Amino acid sequence: RGEDGVAWKLSVLGSRQPRNVALARAALSRIFPRFQVSESAWERGLAGVRWPCRFDVRRSSGKTVIIDGAHNVEAMEQFAATYRASPWNSGRTRFILGMLRDKDIAGMLRPLVPWLAEVTVCRPASPRALDPMDLARKVRACAPGAKVTVERSVGQALKSWGAGRSPRIAVVCGSFYLAGEASDALRRHG
């Protein structure tokens, strides 16, 4: 909100975004005498913000895919809070996960447990990637009722999700490597 109490419109989703905007505004006010920004320019800037791979909602073949680079426990908790408050959190969702082996995997999965009914795991393109079979075991340990499948790549996981009677919504998260690959795959193949 501005000093006049009017809410600003922000084009990105996320439970942390109001705090980020407040920090940006505070930083701007510190340099304001040297760098004049009108209220209308500030509002246009906020409305035009785009943050790829942070609760990044896209359409693919008539379905919705949400890409988030959540790569540690705190980021996954923030993703889960945003997802919980979103209009996409009810109904069937396919989670496409890939993580790095040096992360707290159980801690990252814990916030997702309420939605882990259908999960596809794959390997992010990183030498630190967790083997997908190990990730599948960890998903089953955290969410024993989950149907877990393994794909060789996030591109293949998205292709499998896009076909047939799969859920209308997919979430890709667990690593910025994975999120970047998903973004590239959607750009190439829609």
Side-chain angles (χ1 to χ4, degrees):
R1 293 187 182 270
E3 291 176 6
D4 57 4
V6 175
W8 293 314
K9 293 179 182 160
L10 184 61
S11 61
V12 293
L13 300 173
S15 60
R16 289 290 280 247
Q17 299 316 320
R19 180 175 179 229
N20 290 339
V21 169
L23 287 170
R25 186 61 179 217
L28 187 59
S29 69
R30 298 281 301 211
I31 60 169
F32 198 78
R34 288 186 26 224
F35 189 68
Q36 296 288 323
V37 176
S38 70
E39 197 64 22
S40 64
W42 172 255
E43 290 173 3
R44 281 192 314 277
L46 289 179
V49 169
R50 179 151 157 56
W51 196 353
C53 299
R54 277 295 194 204
F55 213 90
D56 188 353
V57 180
R58 303 196 189 177
R59 299 288 292 164
S60 177
S61 303
K63 295 182 176 187
T64 300
V65 61
I66 300 168
I67 303 172
D68 198 290
H71 63 290
N72 59 35
V73 174
E74 182 182 7
M76 200 62 83
E77 288 169 347
Q78 291 301 317
F79 168 80
T82 301
Y83 187 69
R84 186 177 299 106
S86 80
W88 300 284
N89 78 340
S90 60
R92 287 178 55 213
T93 300
R94 167 91 41 91
F95 271 76
I96 300 172
L97 304 174
M99 298 179 184
L100 304 184
R101 68 178 174 271
D102 57 355
K103 303 293 182 168
D104 177 358
I105 305 302
M108 290 174 64
L109 290 172
R110 208 169 294 117
L112 302 179
V113 167
W115 304 288
L116 295 182
E118 293 185 43
V119 180
T120 300
V121 297
C122 52
R123 180 187 308 269
S126 167
R128 295 173 25 229
L130 178 65
D131 181 89
M133 295 305 288
D134 291 338
L135 181 54
R137 281 189 287 279
K138 290 178 185 285
V139 169
R140 288 183 186 106
C142 285
K147 176 186 170 205
V148 182
T149 58
V150 178
E151 290 287 357
R152 61 182 165 78
S153 69
V154 70
Q156 188 59 46
L158 286 166
K159 186 176 180 181
S160 296
W161 164 70
R165 298 173 47 101
S166 59
R168 307 282 310 148
I169 299 165
V171 170
V172 178
C173 64
S175 158
F176 271 115
Y177 293 99
L178 188 76
E181 291 173 63
S183 181
D184 289 345
L186 289 172
R187 194 171 20 261
R188 283 192 310 270
H189 306 293

